[in-house]
Amino acid sequence: MKVLRVALLSLAVLRAMSTVEAGPRSDVFIEPATQAPVSILKKTERSADGAAAGTVASENAVPIAGAWVSAVGSAESMLTGADGKYRLEHLPAGDIAIVVSASGFESMVQRVVISLSRPAVLDFRLAVKRRSETVEVSGEIPLLTTGKELGVVRLEPRQIATLPSLGERDIFRTMQLLPGVSGTNETSSGLYVRGGTPSQTLVAYDGFTVYHVDHLFGYYSAFNMDALEDVELRKGAYEARFGGRLSAVMELHGRSGPTDRWSGSVTASMLSVSTSLSMPVSDRGSLLIAGRRSFQSPLYNNILDLFGTNGSGAANGGGLGGGARPRGGPGGGFGADTTPRSHFYDLNGRFSMPFGQRDRLVVSTYAGRDDLDNSVAFTIPEFNGTLPGGVTAPPFRISGSIDTSDISNWTNRGASITWTRGWSARQQTKFIAAGSRYDKLTDRQSNGQITITGNTSGFPTPSAGGLSNAQYESNRLDDVSLQVEHSAALGLSHRVVIGGRYTNNKVAYRFDTQLPGAGVDLPDGGFRPTDLNQLLNRSDSGALMSGYVQDEARLGRLTVTPGLRVASFDRTAETYVEPRASLGIKITEPLRLKGGWGKYTQVVNRIEREDFSNGNQEFWTLSDGATVPAARATHYVGGLTFEKDALLVDAEIFYKSLDDLTTFAPRLRPGGNAGEAGQAFYQGSGTARGLELLIQKKVGRHSGWISYTLSKTEETFPTLEAENYPSSQDQRHELKLVDTAKFGGWTASGTWILATGKPYTAATGVSTITIGDGSRTVGFPDFGPKNGARLPAYHRLDLAINREWRIWSARGTVGMTVFNVYDRQNVWYKQFQGFSSQLVETDVRLMGRAFNVSVGLRF
């Protein structure tokens, strides 16, 4: 009888393998098998209260990340994480087939009996795919996976390949289309999550921290998608095993190539070329190398629209367009003459090798660099003026030109060694040694000529202060860390994680500038910058030690994850206790209630350097407990998810309190004391609150989502501003639409974003001050309340079309993106300059309409 049961079960498995769509990966193959009866695929009518859990690994017990696990006759499916684990819930009681597929491995189907009393445990060991006659299995992967866990979103690079992208497919840009993540920051790939800044989101790549995620003014992210396997974003109230940031966590897992064959890819667009190559090592491991390089194509300036048309533009470090209009008198715009030169590159390497049946070693490296020469020559708008002091006299006329040398570069480097030891099917330990470096340099100098014509009787010796401009800024951040983490499954209801981490950081920052009007020499109307004045020079180092423990407990319909993280930082001589907890309750089959709470601390902070005239900048520094205290946050999150068949409706509300925030606001004035400006650090607090709504259609000819965010983010710095004010990233309403449609071999997609404008500090006029021996005056803008005005509303439509086809055993792709289809002139920020009694306001605009075409080949 036992033999008969085994034979019948084996026959059922073979039948299921021949007909079941083996996971929604278009590149998955399975061997031909006998046709199975349709009855095997019919959805059961039984109550769905059971669950199945386990691991997916290779034949030598190495966990497989990114494997697709789905239950036949149920809508339940998921991707495995870095540890190869999966858990399917809401399964019908009784006999059911579970299908697993992963790139480079043979698909596998196993049957299991689901009970309502406890989860079924079912592990998979996949064989490496061998070349043979194969039958392609079609299926679909949703563009994103979310809703089951509080604030967690998962993506694979291949899932978002068809979405519009100015550069290449970009997971960071896709994340910006989600609720709670700002989608209007074209000049940054960083994530503004629930009122937080990109520096408050931890970006971890295979265990090392990446501190700057931008290439090419932020239109590219720093990561090559060909080197990534999958990405997870946690938007808030995340568990205790993550620390060091106030807002969110983004985990990027590198890709390992197949162990039985060579593979690779080549992709070219109008801005860059990327390539990857993977090779087997000793039939068990693999080595993957990937790289990208931008190039200065003939359409480079047109695509980036660095400076506006018709001679409008503003000299600024990274402005992407502009339109100047002087107030208080006639005049034209700045006449710009520029030939920007810029390029970037990045390189990834990943070596993965199992040792024996229990151990695996992964070595991952990354290096990227951007170089920018944004030098520009532009003319000062010609306008009429009157004598200082309001003296009645015939008018005079001022005109001139300025040459600005603007050089900047930034680099990212990182590496990690990860050793994973599997003690048993239920316990494993992970050791990580990692390091990274971020380095940025900006060097800007201006030289020019002004001319005063007309009546100059009684006019002071040349009065053209405020035109000099010289600035030097550098920032370096080093990070070295050691981490150990042990996870254990205790019975069928608990998964405990315990670990510790040691991190040593070194940060250096220098900021020198030429104060307006200070020591300016004007022989015959000319001017030149004099020696720079040092405003800030910080060089700090510090060690952070932390330990954490958490338990994921599944108790019937209730899932609870309590945790505790304790950290100690030597520079502040403080210990930070951070309790956290989250829960999920399955109310009915499709309806789930979830919530979370937690405390968070950040000692490596990116400080905003206030600059009303030219746009705010930021720099990294360490907390010292006095000038820069450790920033703190408390999260409160609640949500409700409805998921049935292909429809997902997910709503979350959040409240975040922020304390011990720091800003640097020297608020320099002509003739000011540079030494005093270096002490201009201010401490404050803030709040962020909001509502997020996501409606997703996961599969079908049309798939995509609608997301809406209602939020409010405020800051309070009592010694800087008397009243509360909106933070620079505050955005009350943001609506985003994403749609992907399939027509034969073609895929068309579109995204549309509509959002209220961000706040800025408006200039109200120009004041003049006499400097030096009293023979010179300079003009400088006067400003109203901080962030008291708002930019115009932001909206943009992007469209794309893609085609994929087979070329023998390879895959070819071609795609075209139209960015900003209706050429919306969105404003990035405003610049203000004072010339004599004139206030010149410049709209620094974001990119207009642009086109990009890409072709690729994968083998």
Side-chain angles (χ1 to χ4, degrees):
M1 182 63 67
K2 184 176 180 180
V3 174
L4 179 60
R5 288 178 180 175
V6 172
L8 291 175
L9 180 60
S10 301
L11 179 60
V13 170
L14 289 174
R15 288 176 174 176
M17 290 179 64
S18 67
T19 58
V20 174
E21 290 188 349
R25 293 177 182 264
S26 59
D27 59 346
V28 173
F29 297 82
I30 62 173
E31 298 295 335
T34 307
Q35 181 68 30
V38 177
S39 60
I40 292 180
L41 301 179
K42 287 184 178 179
K43 187 172 181 178
T44 67
E45 301 297 331
R46 296 164 289 184
S47 61
D49 291 318
T55 60
V56 179
S58 62
E59 289 179 313
N60 52 15
V62 177
I64 299 175
W68 189 266
V69 185
S70 59
V72 177
S74 169
E76 293 300 307
S77 59
M78 67 170 293
L79 293 169
T80 58
D83 56 3
K85 295 184 179 298
Y86 76 91
R87 183 181 177 93
L88 300 178
E89 298 183 340
H90 315 304
L91 300 180
D95 185 64
I96 193 171
I98 296 180
V99 185
V100 175
S101 60
S103 179
F105 294 88
E106 299 290 352
S107 298
M108 186 175 184
V109 180
Q110 293 192 78
R111 302 197 72 88
V112 67
V113 177
I114 304 296
S115 71
L116 304 183
S117 59
R118 57 170 46 185
V121 177
L122 184 64
D123 295 328
F124 289 82
R125 295 294 180 263
L126 305 186
V128 174
K129 184 183 297 182
R130 305 296 177 182
R131 292 184 179 275
S132 61
E133 294 184 4
T134 57
V135 176
E136 184 171 356
V137 178
S138 62
E140 295 179 276
I141 303 179
L143 288 176
L144 62 91
T145 304
T146 185
K148 289 184 174 60
E149 300 176 64
L150 185 68
V152 178
V153 182
R154 294 183 176 88
L155 283 175
E156 278 190 283
R158 74 191 76 187
Q159 291 172 256
I160 50 96
T162 58
L163 290 181
S165 176
L166 182 66
E168 300 173 356
R169 55 198 170 120
D170 195 324
I171 281 185
F172 279 78
R173 291 298 180 191
T174 304
M175 291 293 187
Q176 291 177 357
L177 297 171
L178 300 175
V181 184
S182 178
T184 64
N185 301 283
E186 293 179 23
T187 59
S188 174
S189 293
L191 303 180
Y192 292 79
V193 181
R194 293 180 173 173
T197 63
S199 62
Q200 293 172 353
T201 295
L202 173 66
V203 179
Y205 187 107
D206 276 349
F208 61 85
T209 302
V210 181
Y211 288 90
H212 191 77
V213 299
D214 290 342
H215 275 321
L216 201 62
F217 306 108
Y219 284 96
Y220 276 67
S221 77
F223 303 103
N224 187 338
M225 296 299 101
D226 289 332
L228 289 179
E229 183 65 32
D230 61 78
V231 177
E232 294 183 353
L233 174 66
R234 291 167 170 81
K235 295 191 289 184
Y238 46 89
E239 58 264 39
R241 64 191 183 96
F242 299 105
R245 292 297 184 271
L246 299 182
S247 185
V249 172
M250 189 171 192
E251 276 193 300
L252 301 100
H253 305 124
R255 182 171 71 89
S256 295
T259 59
D260 64 330
R261 60 186 176 86
W262 290 66
S263 66
S265 66
V266 178
T267 304
S269 72
M270 297 171 68
L271 289 176
S272 66
V273 175
S274 66
T275 183
S276 68
L277 181 64
S278 174
M279 63 195 76
V281 178
S282 299
D283 294 328
R284 302 187 66 196
S286 66
L287 174 64
L288 182 141
I289 300 173
R292 291 188 300 176
R293 177 66 155 82
S294 68
F295 56 88
Q296 197 100 4
S297 69
L299 296 178
Y300 183 88
N301 291 343
N302 181 45
I303 294 173
L304 292 182
D305 194 18
L306 289 171
F307 295 90
T309 57
N310 301 320
S312 65
N316 62 82
L320 302 180
R325 54 180 181 86
R327 291 180 178 175
F334 289 105
D337 180 14
T338 176
T339 306
R341 293 180 296 277
S342 173
H343 76 271
F344 73 81
Y345 73 85
D346 57 50
L347 295 169
N348 290 85
R350 196 172 198 265
F351 170 76
S352 177
M353 173 67 76
F355 293 92
Q357 298 297 315
R358 297 178 179 269
D359 299 282
R360 180 179 59 163
L361 179 68
V362 174
V363 180
S364 183
T365 63
Y366 170 80
R369 180 181 174 92
D370 282 71
D371 286 282
L372 169 66
D373 182 352
N374 204 30
S375 300
V376 59
F378 69 97
T379 57
I380 302 170
E382 186 174 298
F383 55 84
N384 296 329
T386 58
L387 293 177
V391 178
T392 302
F396 61 89
R397 185 174 294 273
I398 297 178
S399 62
S401 62
I402 299 176
D403 293 330
T404 298
S405 172
D406 190 349
I407 308 295
S408 62
N409 60 71
W410 56 93
T411 60
N412 274 301
R413 297 185 182 91
S416 66
I417 300 175
T418 303
W419 172 37
T420 303
R421 169 74 172 181
W423 304 98
S424 68
R426 294 179 174 273
Q427 297 194 56
Q428 73 169 17
T429 303
K430 183 182 295 184
F431 301 90
I432 303 175
S436 63
R437 167 175 288 183
Y438 166 65
D439 204 346
K440 182 178 182 180
L441 170 67
T442 300
D443 190 357
R444 187 179 184 213
Q445 301 280 333
S446 296
N447 292 279
Q449 182 77 24
I450 63 171
T451 303
I452 303 175
T453 59
N455 178 59
T456 59
S457 60
F459 197 85
T461 301
S463 177
L467 295 178
S468 64
N469 190 332
Q471 190 176 101
Y472 175 87
E473 189 171 18
S474 65
N475 197 190
R476 171 175 286 188
L477 173 56
D478 291 307
D479 180 305
V480 177
S481 65
L482 298 173
Q483 181 178 358
V484 58
E485 180 178 283
H486 182 79
S487 60
L490 304 180
L492 297 176
S493 302
H494 295 269
R495 181 174 181 267
V496 177
V497 178
I498 183 170
R501 186 182 181 99
Y502 168 84
T503 302
N504 184 271
N505 289 111
K506 294 182 179 180
V507 182
Y509 177 69
R510 178 180 174 183
F511 177 38
D512 301 343
T513 190
Q514 167 63 57
L515 296 179
V520 178
D521 185 20
L522 297 169
D524 302 322
F527 76 93
R528 60 179 176 80
T530 58
D531 293 337
L532 297 172
N533 297 292
Q534 188 173 98
L535 296 184
L536 190 62
N537 191 345
R538 293 176 64 92
S539 181
D540 306 319
S541 63
L544 179 70
M545 297 188 67
S546 58
Y548 54 90
V549 60
Q550 69 182 52
D551 176 26
E552 183 180 2
R554 299 181 181 271
L555 310 172
R557 292 175 177 265
L558 175 66
T559 301
V560 183
T561 308
L564 177 67
R565 188 179 187 93
V566 179
S568 177
F569 189 51
D570 61 358
R571 281 192 59 80
T572 60
E574 291 185 75
T575 299
Y576 310 100
V577 180
E578 304 172 3
R580 304 171 190 177
S582 63
L583 61 86
I585 304 174
K586 186 176 68 172
I587 300 175
T588 64
E589 174 62 25
L591 194 62
R592 179 185 296 268
L593 180 68
K594 50 191 177 180
W597 165 83
K599 291 184 176 292
Y600 305 86
T601 307
Q602 185 166 340
V603 298
V604 183
N605 296 285
R606 198 173 189 184
I607 306 299
E608 181 180 85
R609 175 170 64 78
E610 183 184 82
D611 188 343
F612 291 155
S613 296
N614 299 289
N616 296 335
Q617 302 295 324
E618 294 180 317
F619 63 92
W620 288 97
T621 191
L622 295 181
S623 296
D624 55 17
T627 305
V628 182
R632 295 176 292 118
T634 304
H635 294 194
Y636 304 88
V637 185
L640 196 65
T641 299
F642 177 87
E643 185 173 12
K644 188 173 183 180
D645 299 327
L647 176 66
L648 169 70
V649 180
D650 187 63
E652 292 188 5
I653 57 174
F654 65 89
Y655 179 86
K656 181 164 49 180
S657 64
L658 302 162
D659 295 291
D660 293 328
L661 302 177
T662 303
T663 191
F664 179 61
R667 298 198 172 179
L668 305 176
R669 284 189 176 275
N673 187 326
E676 295 177 357
Q679 306 302 317
F681 284 92
Y682 298 86
Q683 280 75 51
S685 59
T687 60
R689 67 196 74 182
L691 164 69
E692 302 172 2
L693 177 64
L694 175 71
I695 302 174
Q696 181 188 10
K697 184 176 182 292
K698 295 187 290 184
V699 295
R701 180 178 292 273
H702 282 270
S703 61
W705 64 85
I706 301 172
S707 76
Y708 170 72
T709 306
L710 170 65
S711 65
K712 183 178 183 180
T713 308
E714 291 184 314
E715 293 178 348
T716 303
F717 284 81
T719 58
L720 180 64
E721 292 285 329
E723 303 292 336
N724 296 357
Y725 58 87
S727 68
S728 299
Q729 63 270 17
D730 178 62
Q731 217 159 16
R732 297 299 167 82
H733 303 278
E734 194 170 73
L735 175 67
K736 289 168 275 196
L737 310 180
V738 179
D739 181 60
T740 298
K742 299 179 180 179
F743 304 95
W746 295 87
T747 303
S749 60
T751 60
W752 186 67
I753 302 172
L754 171 65
T756 51
K758 291 185 176 180
Y760 74 99
T761 305
T764 57
V766 175
S767 295
T768 58
I769 188 172
T770 301
I771 62 173
D773 58 3
S775 62
R776 291 185 224 148
T777 63
V778 294
F780 58 90
D782 292 324
F783 292 94
K786 183 176 175 67
N787 287 346
R790 285 194 178 266
L791 298 173
Y794 179 102
H795 51 91
R796 190 186 84 233
L797 173 67
D798 303 334
L799 298 175
I801 188 167
N802 292 267
R803 181 71 164 90
E804 181 177 291
W805 68 94
R806 281 200 171 277
I807 306 176
W808 294 287
S809 61
R811 289 180 180 270
T813 59
V814 61
M816 183 180 74
T817 291
V818 184
F819 182 88
N820 196 356
V821 173
Y822 50 83
D823 200 25
R824 166 69 176 178
Q825 298 297 295
N826 290 302
V827 178
W828 179 13
Y829 65 90
K830 290 179 178 285
Q831 285 188 326
F832 301 97
Q833 291 176 300
F835 295 97
S836 185
S837 60
Q838 308 293 319
L839 174 65
V840 177
E841 177 183 307
T842 305
D843 287 338
V844 181
R845 296 192 297 265
L846 292 164
M847 188 182 306
R849 185 189 300 113
F851 301 85
N852 196 11
V853 176
S854 64
V855 294
L857 181 66
R858 300 180 183 279
F859 57 91

